[in-house]
Amino acid sequence: MFSSLLRWNLWGREKLDASPRVILEEVESFIDYKGAIVIQGPRRAGKSTLLYMIIEKLSQRYSEKQCLYINFEDYALKAANMTPALVEDIIEVYAEKVYDGSDFFLFLDEIQNVSEWHRWVRTYVDTTRKTVFVSGSSSKLMSSEIAGLLTGRHVSFEVMPFSFRELYRIHGHSDDDIYVERNRIRIKKLLDQYTKTGGFPEVALRWQEDESGAMRILSQYAEDIILKDIAVHFNIMNMRILRFIAHYLAQNSGSRVSIRKLQRMIEGEYSEKSSTTTIANYLEYLVEAYLAIELKHFDYSIKRAFRKPSKYYICDPGLRNVMASSLTPDYGRLLENVVFLYLRTVYDELYFWSDTRELDFVGIRNRAPDLYNVTYVSNLKEVDERELQAFADFPSKTRVRNRYLITWDLEDRITYKGMKIVAVPAWKLLIKKP
């Protein structure tokens, strides 16, 4: 046990060499929270690295030995009986060998490997009033499961692959307006690359310039999510249907998904019956594992909104590309997916709206809507009038605050039927702080 702790803890080791994450500041504000801090997100998005960043921050205020990190993926621990008794044995070894005080911070990574972990964590925070950080495979730490097991004893944070803004800052670019204007070609080139290979840390930092290598790694990520985080966890019997739905969502990211239409497609493809309940469950599993993210329809009537089909986006543009079977890139869908990932960090409530025409996004702030359409254009002549008419068709019971047309490289102020529409290049929007 002690050799395992030495492998993973930072006691006396060199400082971590990792790129900063925006989410770190949010988690830092809860460091003194007496309960469980749960780190969620897709696999390989940087959850473990975030835990190490928190440990380094704590080491500046306390002794580095006051942080105990346990990795339950360690091969030495996997040979043991993974029960709460093992956790207590490790803490006892830590007290004997490293730090015998009671004022330490506990980090439990890949905790899903420990049976009944949630009961132990609940008892631990109730009896010690300490902070414990919990991270693990996203499908094992679903919000719905945690809500029932750690009610009132936890706060959750989401770790996603690098946003374009994070990658932009990692590459040393500045937010200064003059800098941005002078380096627009470099910024657009970086965005073009981001839409291809995405923001998973290993890919973005090591393989971004090697697209074939990046695609190989991303293919394995997709396979691991589908197989390990969904099929194994939920005991999926029909892998063909699960894979079909996953690849369909990737190829049709940003499109409304009808369960009955999916049912007809699956039955036509495989000549076998599939129930709408099974398809709905598989969609839910893909969302819970963070492979896909659901966007619901906006309506002033909750009942009407519930009856309308949702849209789905993939958690990372690179992952979307490797899963979509299209031989030619669909730049419009890719740009819309990237803008969605940004806007969901801006608004607490984000929807889409459709009738005869569609608005890609409706962001609600202080009960007032901001409207967005995304189009891959570089000049005003390329703009389809349907993109503008959708703004006019939107039925608002309150004053619309702003109307935005997010483009590839068109920047303008458009007047259409008495409305003001601001055209903003995506490369400018995405580097702004949410």
Side-chain angles (χ1 to χ4, degrees):
M1 289 181 189
F2 185 52
S3 62
S4 173
L5 295 185
L6 288 177
R7 269 193 293 275
W8 299 104
N9 283 274
L10 298 181
W11 315 316
R13 288 170 49 183
E14 293 183 4
K15 296 301 179 184
L16 183 68
D17 180 20
S19 301
R21 299 303 305 262
V22 172
I23 190 67
L24 180 60
E25 293 181 10
E26 295 181 41
V27 180
E28 271 190 274
S29 65
F30 280 84
I31 278 179
D32 295 321
Y33 175 76
K34 304 306 179 185
I37 297 178
V38 180
I39 309 298
Q40 296 174 276
R43 64 167 54 236
R44 309 300 297 175
K47 297 188 293 294
S48 299
T49 301
L50 180 67
L51 292 183
Y52 279 124
M53 289 179 174
I54 297 167
I55 290 172
E56 286 203 337
K57 287 287 184 179
L58 286 169
S59 298
Q60 296 170 9
R61 293 169 52 183
Y62 308 92
S63 164
E64 62 182 13
K65 292 184 178 181
Q66 285 176 258
C67 295
L68 170 59
Y69 174 93
I70 306 173
N71 183 350
F72 290 103
E73 285 286 304
D74 186 282
Y75 67 90
L77 298 184
K78 278 196 166 186
N81 188 15
M82 302 286 263
T83 67
L86 175 65
V87 184
E88 296 188 352
D89 287 344
I90 293 172
I91 292 175
E92 187 175 333
V93 170
Y94 164 73
E96 292 176 358
K97 301 280 189 178
V98 182
Y99 185 78
D100 61 2
S102 61
D103 55 336
F104 65 91
F105 296 87
L106 181 60
F107 295 78
L108 305 175
D109 201 4
E110 302 297 343
I111 188 63
Q112 77 279 353
N113 292 317
V114 179
S115 62
E116 298 293 317
W117 66 267
H118 47 84
R119 300 186 190 281
W120 186 89
V121 169
R122 175 66 182 261
T123 301
Y124 181 81
V125 299
D126 281 348
T127 56
T128 67
R129 303 298 296 164
K130 289 180 184 175
T131 303
V132 55
F133 294 82
V134 177
S135 174
S137 180
S138 56
S139 68
K140 305 286 187 176
L141 294 174
M142 301 306 173
S143 296
S144 58
E145 295 177 1
I146 294 171
L149 303 170
L150 297 174
T151 304
R153 299 293 189 275
H154 82 284
V155 290
S156 296
F157 295 91
E158 185 180 78
V159 177
M160 299 295 287
F162 285 129
S163 66
F164 179 69
R165 173 179 165 78
E166 285 182 303
L167 203 57
Y168 176 82
R169 298 299 294 263
I170 289 170
H171 280 258
H173 295 298
S174 167
D175 291 344
D176 178 75
D177 290 342
I178 295 175
Y179 176 92
V180 170
E181 289 298 334
R182 286 180 173 174
N183 291 273
R184 58 192 300 152
I185 294 176
R186 291 176 62 195
I187 299 171
K188 285 190 289 184
K189 183 179 179 182
L190 182 63
L191 178 57
D192 181 65
Q193 188 62 52
Y194 179 78
T195 61
K196 294 175 182 175
T197 54
F200 276 99
E202 183 180 10
V203 173
L205 300 179
R206 299 181 185 178
W207 295 92
Q208 191 180 40
E209 300 301 326
D210 180 359
E211 285 190 32
S212 62
M215 292 301 109
R216 183 182 294 271
I217 293 171
L218 289 167
S219 293
Q220 188 60 55
Y221 287 178
E223 181 66 14
D224 287 346
I225 293 173
I226 291 172
L227 183 60
K228 297 178 181 179
D229 293 341
I230 301 176
V232 173
H233 180 63
F234 294 106
N235 194 27
I236 301 296
M237 302 304 295
N238 197 324
M239 288 297 297
R240 288 200 302 178
I241 292 179
L242 177 63
R243 292 184 192 279
F244 180 91
I245 295 173
H247 288 279
Y248 178 85
L249 295 186
Q251 192 164 358
N252 296 277
S253 61
S255 296
R256 283 168 283 176
V257 175
S258 164
I259 292 178
R260 292 200 178 277
K261 180 181 176 181
L262 263 176
Q263 182 186 37
R264 290 193 296 270
M265 293 176 65
I266 290 168
E267 291 178 352
E269 180 77 16
Y270 300 120
S271 300
E272 63 179 81
K273 293 292 183 181
S274 62
S275 71
T276 55
T277 300
T278 296
I279 295 171
N281 287 339
Y282 285 10
L283 283 170
E284 184 179 347
Y285 300 156
L286 289 163
V287 170
E288 289 184 347
Y290 277 97
L291 187 144
I293 305 171
E294 183 181 14
L295 185 67
K296 294 184 179 296
H297 192 282
F298 175 85
D299 200 300
Y300 291 102
S301 166
I302 296 176
K303 186 181 293 186
R304 284 199 305 266
F306 183 78
R307 290 199 299 261
K308 294 182 178 179
S310 298
K311 298 203 302 186
Y312 294 84
Y313 294 90
I314 304 303
C315 71
D316 176 78
L319 199 64
R320 185 263 174 193
N321 289 337
V322 80
M323 293 177 63
S325 57
S326 176
L327 296 178
T328 57
D330 188 334
Y331 293 111
R333 287 189 189 277
L334 274 172
L335 189 63
E336 185 180 328
N337 203 132
V338 171
V339 172
F340 164 75
L341 293 172
Y342 170 80
L343 291 180
R344 70 187 294 267
T345 68
V346 174
Y347 297 97
D348 291 331
E349 294 182 66
L350 187 65
Y351 308 92
F352 76 99
W353 173 83
S354 67
D355 193 4
T356 55
R357 294 175 181 83
E358 182 172 304
L359 283 170
D360 293 325
F361 307 112
V362 178
I364 306 296
R365 182 181 293 151
N366 298 326
R367 296 188 176 181
D370 289 329
L371 310 181
Y372 293 83
N373 258 343
V374 182
T375 180
Y376 192 86
V377 301
S378 296
N379 62 68
L380 193 56
K381 293 180 181 179
E382 296 176 334
V383 177
D384 192 319
E385 188 177 357
R386 290 176 298 178
E387 303 280 359
L388 305 179
Q389 183 61 40
F391 291 106
D393 290 350
F394 179 74
S396 179
K397 291 185 178 180
T398 60
R399 182 180 63 87
V400 172
R401 295 197 320 163
N402 300 290
R403 299 172 178 87
Y404 296 106
L405 186 68
I406 309 304
T407 70
W408 176 249
D409 198 27
L410 168 64
E411 186 168 14
D412 203 348
R413 293 188 177 273
I414 303 169
T415 300
Y416 180 80
K417 294 188 176 180
M419 299 178 303
K420 302 295 183 182
I421 302 170
V422 182
V424 182
W427 58 269
K428 269 195 174 182
L429 172 76
L430 298 171
I431 63 175
K432 291 181 179 178
K433 185 175 182 179

